[in-house]
Amino acid sequence: MGLFMKKCFLVILIILLFIPFLVSAQKQPSGISSSKERVVLVTVEKVSEGMSFPTMMITGSAYFSESSEVAAESAGKVLKVYVNEGDAVEIGQPLASLDDSLLSYSVSSAEASTKQAKSNLDKALRDFNRNKALYNQHSISQQKYQDSLTDYTNAQSMYISSLSQQKQLETQKDKMVIKSPLKGVVISKNVEVGEWVNSGGVVAGVATLTYEAKVYIPETVLPYIKAGQSVTVKTSRKEYTGKVLSINSKGDPATRLFLTRIDLGQDPDLKEGVFVIALIPSGSKIHSLLVPRDAVVERNSVKGVFKVSEDERVRFIPVKIIGYNGGYAAVSSVTEGSLKKDDQIVLDGNNAVNNGVKIKITSKIG
């Protein structure tokens, strides 16, 4: 009997615990979800109008503005290598040195010869000055005076010759230390300690950390671009405002393309050989809708902007990029009339929204 009562008590307790949940479920209106709709915080900006150049996207590569394959001017065995690839270097900084033991001996010998020649010259000059004074006093013969002058002239020639040889040997010795001609970075190390390097053999490659883009533009855009003009250049990681350095006057007769160099400035994160896209003006300025570049996103390989509706939901509007004007993109809507001046479009937060998503505007620009 005691066991039966315990079981009954347990059943009643379980029923009492579930009653509040059953009552709550009955009070919940049918067809209404208890979860809240997701709302995305965004900033918006109005679509404007203005003038801009239509542009053409032209691909190319980034290059060092200046680079050098530093060669040895004398032959010799590599004694030391002071740098590795990637090291920063200053102008005149040693890259490597060659064995100069024989030249050091020759320089020491030349210094001794020059010292002796200078001593001989000083003595010859003293003798000449003394004999000149005696000759003016008619105390010595003209022959002795002439001999003294000849000795002085010969001593002077010997000293100049000896000094010149010493300087040449010192210069050769200095050349046994190969130095960087640029301030920048080491891009290649071509020798190791103990190797023999011939005169003209490359020891290391160095380059500045300033870059330029090289692209080949078609002749159709030549009327709309010139040296000194600012153009936008993009890599996979960054966007640059470059300046056109030069447009080659000689094009390729087969392709009608002209090499164009665009200064990208200094950037330690950029690398030579990086793929670039240059936005080159391809026509006269036109009037168009303008949207912030950052407002343009891509969905399923289609570029567009998110337009804000009156109920604070967003709709993706496909657009065609016509060109660029500073930080703005000149666009036209793919469907006529779907985007117009003063429409509000999502700026910050556009990567977090999709069609029909509810938004909350935190700030408005324009």
Side-chain angles (χ1 to χ4, degrees):
M1 184 68 178
L3 180 61
F4 176 76
M5 291 298 293
K6 287 181 179 180
K7 288 182 177 180
C8 290
F9 177 76
L10 183 60
V11 171
I12 293 170
L13 181 62
I14 292 172
I15 292 172
L16 290 174
L17 289 173
F18 271 93
I19 286 175
F21 294 100
L22 293 173
V23 172
S24 175
Q26 288 177 350
K27 288 182 179 180
Q28 179 71 35
S30 61
I32 299 178
S33 172
S34 60
S35 61
K36 291 184 178 180
E37 182 179 8
R38 184 173 74 98
V39 177
V40 179
L41 300 178
V42 300
T43 63
V44 298
E45 183 168 342
K46 288 183 178 181
V47 177
S48 60
E49 292 180 337
M51 302 297 293
S52 61
F53 283 106
T55 57
M56 176 182 293
M57 298 174 64
I58 300 179
T59 61
S61 298
Y63 293 88
F64 293 116
S65 297
E66 190 176 0
S67 61
S68 174
E69 289 189 330
V70 188
E73 295 186 58
S74 300
K77 185 174 73 173
V78 178
L79 192 65
K80 290 183 180 179
V81 179
Y82 301 102
V83 295
N84 288 301
E85 292 179 359
D87 287 352
V89 290
E90 298 289 333
I91 295 176
Q93 180 175 331
L95 303 174
S97 60
L98 308 181
D99 185 3
D100 62 356
S101 54
L102 291 177
L103 274 172
S104 294
Y105 174 79
S106 298
V107 168
S108 297
S109 179
E111 287 174 344
S113 297
T114 301
K115 185 177 180 180
Q116 183 61 52
K118 181 65 167 63
S119 177
N120 294 339
L121 175 61
D122 291 342
K123 181 179 181 302
L125 179 59
R126 288 194 301 270
D127 291 344
F128 170 70
N129 288 333
R130 184 179 66 254
N131 288 329
K132 182 179 180 181
L134 292 172
Y135 177 73
N136 290 335
Q137 296 172 5
H138 305 287
S139 299
I140 61 172
S141 65
Q142 183 177 3
Q143 182 62 47
K144 190 170 184 178
Y145 168 74
Q146 289 293 339
D147 290 344
S148 177
L149 177 60
T150 300
D151 290 343
Y152 168 65
T153 303
N154 290 339
Q156 191 176 43
S157 297
M158 289 295 294
Y159 172 70
I160 292 173
S161 176
S162 181
L163 183 61
S164 175
Q165 185 177 7
Q166 177 188 330
K167 295 297 183 184
Q168 288 179 5
L169 289 169
E170 288 174 345
T171 300
Q172 289 180 29
K173 183 182 177 183
D174 288 342
K175 289 179 179 179
M176 301 301 275
V177 179
I178 299 95
K179 300 175 182 179
S180 174
L182 303 173
K183 178 181 179 179
V185 64
V186 177
I187 57 175
S188 66
K189 185 179 79 170
N190 300 72
V191 296
E192 298 292 344
V193 172
E195 291 182 357
W196 181 266
V197 177
N198 291 320
S199 177
V202 176
V203 171
V206 295
T208 61
L209 286 177
T210 54
Y211 294 86
E212 61 184 51
K214 292 183 180 180
V215 297
Y216 288 85
I217 64 174
E219 63 176 321
T220 54
V221 306
L222 290 177
Y224 310 107
I225 188 170
K226 60 183 179 180
Q229 188 170 336
S230 295
V231 295
T232 298
V233 179
K234 297 180 178 181
T235 68
S236 61
R237 299 173 57 189
K238 198 170 181 179
E239 183 174 297
Y240 301 84
T241 299
K243 181 177 289 186
V244 177
L245 294 172
S246 65
I247 303 169
N248 202 325
S249 298
K250 182 179 180 181
D252 185 333
T255 62
R256 300 292 190 268
L257 297 177
F258 295 79
L259 173 62
T260 301
R261 297 168 50 237
I262 304 168
D263 179 31
L264 301 180
Q266 186 170 353
D267 185 353
D269 295 328
L270 195 55
K271 307 295 180 188
E272 182 172 85
V274 166
F275 178 79
V276 301
I277 298 175
L279 305 178
I280 303 297
S282 59
S284 301
K285 279 188 174 182
I286 58 174
H287 188 270
S288 63
L289 297 176
L290 297 177
V291 300
R293 290 193 186 193
D294 292 340
V296 180
V297 293
E298 192 168 306
R299 292 290 188 272
N300 298 321
S301 301
V302 177
K303 286 184 170 61
V305 296
F306 280 102
K307 176 181 172 180
V308 180
S309 60
E310 292 182 358
D311 61 353
E312 292 196 336
R313 295 183 183 275
V314 296
R315 182 162 65 95
F316 184 72
I317 306 296
V319 297
K320 178 183 178 182
I321 306 294
I322 301 171
Y324 294 93
N325 184 345
Y328 288 83
V331 302
S332 62
S333 54
V334 174
T335 303
E336 187 176 352
S338 59
L339 189 69
K340 59 185 184 298
K341 183 183 177 183
D342 293 330
D343 281 345
Q344 288 187 338
I345 56 174
V346 177
L347 186 56
D348 295 327
N350 54 4
N351 288 317
V353 298
N354 282 303
N355 264 332
V357 167
K358 184 78 172 177
I359 62 163
K360 181 178 180 181
I361 299 172
T362 59
S363 68
K364 298 181 180 180
I365 303 173

